[in-house]
PDB file of all heavy atoms in Angstrom:
ATOM      1  N   LEU A 142       1.455   1.294   2.522  1.00  0.00           N
ATOM      2  CA  LEU A 142       0.232   1.960   2.066  1.00  0.00           C
ATOM      3  C   LEU A 142      -0.798   1.779   3.169  1.00  0.00           C
ATOM      4  O   LEU A 142      -1.156   0.642   3.507  1.00  0.00           O
ATOM      5  CB  LEU A 142      -0.229   1.305   0.767  1.00  0.00           C
ATOM      6  CG  LEU A 142      -1.488   1.845   0.111  1.00  0.00           C
ATOM      7  CD1 LEU A 142      -1.362   3.327  -0.209  1.00  0.00           C
ATOM      8  CD2 LEU A 142      -1.769   1.067  -1.171  1.00  0.00           C
ATOM      9  N   THR A 143      -1.221   2.888   3.768  1.00  0.00           N
ATOM     10  CA  THR A 143      -2.182   2.767   4.875  1.00  0.00           C
ATOM     11  C   THR A 143      -3.430   3.587   4.560  1.00  0.00           C
ATOM     12  O   THR A 143      -4.141   3.269   3.609  1.00  0.00           O
ATOM     13  CB  THR A 143      -1.558   3.193   6.215  1.00  0.00           C
ATOM     14  OG1 THR A 143      -1.126   4.557   6.122  1.00  0.00           O
ATOM     15  CG2 THR A 143      -0.416   2.287   6.615  1.00  0.00           C
ATOM     16  N   SER A 144      -3.674   4.643   5.308  1.00  0.00           N
ATOM     17  CA  SER A 144      -4.940   5.370   5.153  1.00  0.00           C
ATOM     18  C   SER A 144      -4.872   6.713   5.874  1.00  0.00           C
ATOM     19  O   SER A 144      -4.079   6.888   6.816  1.00  0.00           O
ATOM     20  CB  SER A 144      -6.061   4.531   5.782  1.00  0.00           C
ATOM     21  OG  SER A 144      -7.243   5.291   5.876  1.00  0.00           O
ATOM     22  N   ILE A 145      -5.746   7.611   5.480  1.00  0.00           N
ATOM     23  CA  ILE A 145      -5.915   8.875   6.212  1.00  0.00           C
ATOM     24  C   ILE A 145      -6.280   8.612   7.675  1.00  0.00           C
ATOM     25  O   ILE A 145      -6.085   9.462   8.539  1.00  0.00           O
ATOM     26  CB  ILE A 145      -6.986   9.762   5.537  1.00  0.00           C
ATOM     27  CG1 ILE A 145      -7.030  11.144   6.197  1.00  0.00           C
ATOM     28  CG2 ILE A 145      -8.339   9.088   5.522  1.00  0.00           C
ATOM     29  CD1 ILE A 145      -8.006  12.115   5.561  1.00  0.00           C
ATOM     30  N   THR A 146      -6.767   7.390   7.974  1.00  0.00           N
ATOM     31  CA  THR A 146      -7.115   7.071   9.366  1.00  0.00           C
ATOM     32  C   THR A 146      -5.888   7.103  10.288  1.00  0.00           C
ATOM     33  O   THR A 146      -6.039   7.115  11.501  1.00  0.00           O
ATOM     34  CB  THR A 146      -7.811   5.702   9.493  1.00  0.00           C
ATOM     35  OG1 THR A 146      -6.946   4.692   8.965  1.00  0.00           O
ATOM     36  CG2 THR A 146      -9.146   5.682   8.770  1.00  0.00           C
ATOM     37  N   THR A 147      -4.672   7.135   9.717  1.00  0.00           N
ATOM     38  CA  THR A 147      -3.476   7.296  10.558  1.00  0.00           C
ATOM     39  C   THR A 147      -3.416   8.695  11.162  1.00  0.00           C
ATOM     40  O   THR A 147      -2.688   8.927  12.126  1.00  0.00           O
ATOM     41  CB  THR A 147      -2.181   7.062   9.744  1.00  0.00           C
ATOM     42  OG1 THR A 147      -2.214   7.905   8.588  1.00  0.00           O
ATOM     43  CG2 THR A 147      -2.043   5.616   9.330  1.00  0.00           C
ATOM     44  N   LYS A 148      -4.157   9.635  10.564  1.00  0.00           N
ATOM     45  CA  LYS A 148      -4.142  11.022  11.059  1.00  0.00           C
ATOM     46  C   LYS A 148      -5.498  11.417  11.631  1.00  0.00           C
ATOM     47  O   LYS A 148      -5.574  12.243  12.529  1.00  0.00           O
ATOM     48  CB  LYS A 148      -3.831  11.994   9.905  1.00  0.00           C
ATOM     49  CG  LYS A 148      -2.465  11.847   9.317  1.00  0.00           C
ATOM     50  CD  LYS A 148      -1.429  12.549  10.174  1.00  0.00           C
ATOM     51  CE  LYS A 148      -0.064  12.473   9.505  1.00  0.00           C
ATOM     52  NZ  LYS A 148       1.010  12.855  10.395  1.00  0.00           N
ATOM     53  N   GLN A 149      -6.552  10.886  11.012  1.00  0.00           N
ATOM     54  CA  GLN A 149      -7.900  11.356  11.341  1.00  0.00           C
ATOM     55  C   GLN A 149      -8.854  10.166  11.335  1.00  0.00           C
ATOM     56  O   GLN A 149      -9.116   9.605  10.262  1.00  0.00           O
ATOM     57  CB  GLN A 149      -8.307  12.371  10.272  1.00  0.00           C
ATOM     58  CG  GLN A 149      -9.643  13.004  10.468  1.00  0.00           C
ATOM     59  CD  GLN A 149      -9.723  14.268   9.601  1.00  0.00           C
ATOM     60  OE1 GLN A 149      -9.230  15.320   9.992  1.00  0.00           O
ATOM     61  NE2 GLN A 149     -10.315  14.146   8.434  1.00  0.00           N
ATOM     62  N   PRO A 150      -9.334   9.738  12.509  1.00  0.00           N
ATOM     63  CA  PRO A 150     -10.231   8.571  12.543  1.00  0.00           C
ATOM     64  C   PRO A 150     -11.484   8.806  11.702  1.00  0.00           C
ATOM     65  O   PRO A 150     -11.971   9.933  11.614  1.00  0.00           O
ATOM     66  CB  PRO A 150     -10.593   8.445  14.020  1.00  0.00           C
ATOM     67  CG  PRO A 150      -9.569   9.219  14.755  1.00  0.00           C
ATOM     68  CD  PRO A 150      -9.099  10.310  13.831  1.00  0.00           C
TER      69      PRO A 150
END
Side-chain angles (χ1 to χ4, degrees):
L142 180 58
T143 60
S144 169
I145 187 177
T146 58
T147 53
K148 295 280 184 193
Q149 182 163 278

